[in-house]
Structure formats: structure tokens, C-alpha cells
Amino acid sequence: MANEIWTIKRCLEWTKEYLAERGEEHPRLSAEWLLCAATGLARIDLYMRMDETLNAAQLETMHAAVVRRAKGEPLQYITGSTQFRMIDVACAPGVLIPRPETEMLVEEVLNYLDTEVLSPEAAARQRVELPWNDEVEQARKAEAALADERATAERRAANLTAADEAALGSDVLGSRAYAEELADREAEEAAAQAAEAEAAEAAESELDEYGIAIEGADQETASAQDAAAPAPAEPRTARVLEVGCGTGCISLSLAWERRGHVTCTATDIEPRAIDLATKNRDALGLTSDEVAFSLTNLVSSIPREEWGTFDVLVSNPPYIPTDVMRSLPHEVKDFEPDLALEGGADGLDIFRRLLNAAPYMLRAGGLFACELYEGALDAAAELCRQAGLSDVRIVHDLTDRPRIVRAIVTEPKQRQ
């Protein structure tokens, strides 16, 4: 086999069949992922370069990856990364792999921040520069040019008689309906111009006989306008506390998608998680002032002077009930860390501790949001109500399963 020629096409088909025989649920997709990691190509490029031959190093990498996948190891550990919302996240054994459900948890937090904390300007998503933006801009200009042509046609149509319209037919741009609409718009513009002229004439009356503004008139007008206009709200930076950060995907997404308006403090008890999250932060070009990671147990490292200053406490804690752990898929149970998965008899052991900490960490009106096991959401919501939190809601995931509990801290607790 060493002397055989392995093209991308042949390797893709062979890997797909090999993984399918070993029970892979999506063999072609897995084969594509592994080939992309081995060659450095995007998935679409694989199909553009099917006849390209793999070199010895790529074949060796691909062989090792296929062996690992056939044993059930998660693709994200093999390829070393995954995509989460708008960012790429490095993954490694010993740290929980980000899930699509957690993307919804980020969305819940962003929705809260946008409506309750940040100014509209800060909350506005930045325009993403895409390869086809130039084409969109050209199309926009073409539409504008067409609109100008129509406007010209409408003006001409204003002089058409009913007989003219009948002769031209109903498809002509300048129909009587267009002409009437144009006449209405011109009347409105004329009225607006008349109102502006009247206002200008009134302003001129504030001058004395020598054409000099009467002293105090402008100041009084300005003062009246200032008094009537409310002062603009000062935009502020939202503060988020994440407990159990893993790869850092939650905090990094929040800081990335609202850069300059959100800062995060994130904790984890696993050193490998803190190291990986820091690596992901550095890869994004974010700073420690924007996202700070801390190796600690839950909120133990949070300075007392920062208690009660956070707008959000968010977590994707270990939440799988102990009995359910035994029935998890092989690639989860035997490869991902139990420490990041098991949540006790009912899956709420860590959640209870977070709920106890929330009133101390959050300001009044702050959001407490957790992703949890689907069978534990009702109990979690009731615990929130018993703890005195308000606006308790359960959010369903994309498969319509209960997945997130969110609540508002109305009465923060003070440190003793």
C-alpha cells in the first residue's frame, strides 16, 4: 500500500466505508472532517481537488485519525477544534466539548444584555465582511439607479391623459396611479418647504432694527431645548461571571460578539480547562482585561469587593444524573471527563451551589442562567422560586427539549 496512489477522492470513499462498517452514524461527514484536518483544506476544497494526491505526512496523519475515530474517540478531540457560534474553539482531551445547546445559552445571555444592560448602539451587531459584500453593494447601486429611472418616468407620466394611458396600456411605469402618487408627494414637499420658510421668517423677527440678534433670545431657545431633551444614557460595560468555563466558549463568545461592551470573569476547577481557554482567548486576540480566567472552585476566587457587581452569572455545570451516566454514548462516557458531566443523583448538585451564590454575586436585576439536564428543569425552576428569584423561565432547545433555566435576582444579599 505504501506505493499506492491515494487521491483525496479515494481516501474519502475508503474512510467512509471503513467507518460505516464500524457503526459510525455519519461516516461521510466524519471522513470529511478527518481529511480536512489532515490536509488543512476546507470541506468545499476537498470536492474541488478530488484528484489531488495525499503526501506521506498527510497519509500518516489520516491513518492515525481514522484508527482513533474507529475506537469511538470524538472528532473534536481528533481534529483539535470545533466551531461555536462565530468563533473557532480548540478542543483537547480532559475538557468538555462545546455543544450546540450551549450556543442557545449564550443567545439567552446576549438577549438579556442587549435589552437590560447595554445601550442600543452597543448591542448592535457589527456588519460581518463577507466575500460577496461587494456584489451586494453593486446590486444596491443598480437598484438605486433603477429607482432614479422610475422617478423620471413618473414625472413624465404626470402629464399623461387618460387617453394616453389607455393607448400605452397598464404596464407602463408612469400609470395614472403613479402620477397621482407623485402629485401627492410633491404637495407634501411643498407644504414642508413652506413650513421651513415660515420658521426662518420667525427666526429673523428676533433681530433688532440693525439686524443684530436680540440678546438672550438664542440662549433662552437653547436652554428650553436642552431642558426638553433628556440626557443621553451613558453606555456601560456589562460584567459577566461564568462558572465552569471548560474551553471558554461561553465567555469568549460573549466578549467577541459584544467586544468593548462586555467583560467576563470565568472560573474552572480543572487546570487543563484554564490552559485551553487561555489558548482560545489568545487565538482570538482578546485580552485578560476582556476575559479573565481563574483556576478555582466555583466562585471561591472572586474578590469580596466584586460581589454584587455582576450583571450575569452563567454556567453550563456538570448536570448528568448519576444513573444516566451509565447510559451515555460510548464516545461521551469513555472519552469526556466525568468531572464536567456528572451532577449527582438528580443532576442538580452544582446547580444548588450556584443558586446559593447568585444573590451574592449579582446586582439587583441581574440574570442567573444555567444549562441543565432535560429531566431536571422543573425542579430547578422551583428551586429558583423558593430562593426568591423572579421571572423564572425554562427555555427549550432546538429539539424542543427543556434545556435552560433563567431567573432574575431581585434582592441581592450582602456579605457578612
Side-chain angles (χ1 to χ4, degrees):
M1 288 185 60
N3 296 326
E4 293 185 49
I5 296 176
W6 285 85
T7 63
I8 288 177
K9 180 180 181 180
R10 183 184 179 193
C11 193
L12 179 63
E13 294 302 322
W14 185 91
T15 303
K16 181 192 72 173
E17 293 175 7
Y18 181 83
L19 294 178
E21 291 172 358
R22 282 153 182 79
E24 172 69 47
E25 187 176 0
H26 303 290
R28 188 174 192 87
L29 181 61
S30 294
E32 291 172 348
W33 274 38
L34 297 177
L35 261 174
C36 288
T39 62
L41 297 174
R43 283 176 64 195
I44 190 171
D45 291 333
L46 295 179
Y47 291 91
M48 300 293 290
R49 301 163 70 169
M50 280 290 194
D51 294 331
E52 191 169 299
T53 303
L54 299 178
N55 60 39
Q58 292 170 335
L59 278 173
E60 184 178 351
T61 300
M62 190 65 183
H63 177 265
V66 171
V67 170
R68 291 170 66 182
R69 183 57 189 160
K71 293 179 179 178
E73 186 172 351
L75 281 166
Q76 294 89 338
Y77 287 161
I78 300 171
T79 62
S81 68
T82 191
Q83 188 170 23
F84 185 86
R85 289 181 64 88
M86 297 172 64
I87 62 176
D88 289 325
V89 178
C91 300
V95 182
L96 189 71
I97 298 169
R99 269 35 178 209
E101 294 86 354
T102 309
E103 295 187 2
M104 295 187 61
L105 180 61
V106 172
E107 190 69 19
E108 285 296 316
V109 173
L110 287 175
N111 288 338
Y112 166 81
L113 292 176
D114 288 350
T115 57
E116 302 297 332
V117 181
L118 302 176
S119 65
E121 293 78 9
R125 286 178 168 81
Q126 295 182 349
R127 180 174 182 256
V128 179
E129 290 298 330
L130 299 172
W132 51 85
N133 276 347
D134 288 341
E135 297 177 16
V136 174
E137 183 66 15
Q138 292 299 322
R140 187 195 65 76
K141 291 179 179 178
E143 290 178 0
L146 179 60
D148 289 341
E149 292 177 5
R150 286 185 174 178
T152 301
E154 288 171 0
R155 294 188 185 95
R156 292 171 180 164
N159 297 321
L160 293 178
T161 64
D164 292 330
E165 289 182 12
L168 290 170
S170 59
D171 290 335
V172 71
L173 281 174
S175 65
R176 179 168 295 278
Y178 276 105
E180 291 174 352
E181 181 182 347
L182 178 63
D184 291 340
R185 285 205 302 269
E186 290 177 344
E188 291 174 359
E189 291 174 0
Q193 290 173 357
E196 290 177 3
E198 184 177 346
E201 184 179 350
E204 290 176 359
S205 65
E206 296 297 324
L207 302 179
D208 63 15
E209 57 184 312
Y210 301 103
I212 301 174
I214 299 174
E215 185 176 354
D218 290 343
Q219 292 87 337
E220 290 176 3
T221 302
S223 298
Q225 291 175 344
D226 291 342
E234 283 291 330
R236 71 177 181 86
T237 301
R239 304 194 72 229
V240 175
L241 172 61
E242 181 192 0
V243 178
C245 63
T247 62
C249 60
I250 293 176
S251 288
L252 294 175
S253 289
L254 294 172
W256 179 259
E257 295 185 39
R258 297 294 183 274
R259 191 161 192 182
H261 303 286
V262 174
T263 63
C264 301
T265 297
T267 71
D268 204 293
I269 198 173
E270 170 57 61
R272 287 175 292 182
I274 295 297
D275 290 344
L276 187 61
T278 302
K279 175 183 175 182
N280 284 324
R281 179 190 67 196
D282 294 344
L284 288 169
L286 293 169
T287 68
S288 58
D289 289 333
E290 294 173 294
V291 183
F293 293 111
S294 176
L295 179 64
T296 190
N297 184 16
L298 301 181
V299 298
S300 300
S301 67
I302 305 302
R304 286 298 181 98
E305 59 269 20
E306 294 187 22
W307 288 23
T309 66
F310 293 99
D311 298 290
V312 175
L313 195 166
V314 60
S315 181
N316 175 20
Y319 61 66
I320 305 298
T322 303
D323 288 344
V324 179
M325 287 288 294
R326 291 189 287 270
S327 62
L328 291 177
H330 165 58
E331 68 177 71
V332 176
K333 178 176 58 178
D334 296 332
F335 289 94
E336 297 198 64
D338 288 351
L339 183 65
L341 292 169
E342 187 170 356
D346 62 356
L348 296 176
D349 281 3
I350 301 300
F351 173 79
R352 289 185 176 88
R353 297 172 65 183
L354 293 173
L355 177 59
N356 183 62
Y360 293 96
M361 296 295 113
L362 295 172
R363 63 166 177 80
L367 175 70
F368 175 55
C370 284
E371 177 183 332
L372 296 170
Y373 178 66
E374 61 184 275
L377 266 298
D378 288 335
E382 182 57 30
L383 287 172
C384 288
R385 296 186 188 98
Q386 292 175 5
L389 275 63
S390 65
D391 194 18
V392 180
R393 305 181 207 171
I394 293 174
V395 180
H396 289 234
D397 63 19
L398 296 175
T399 62
D400 202 30
R401 296 176 179 175
R403 183 61 60 193
I404 297 166
V405 64
R406 50 161 292 168
I408 299 298
V409 169
T410 53
E411 297 182 6
K413 296 181 180 180
Q414 301 295 321
R415 64 186 182 187
Q416 298 299 321

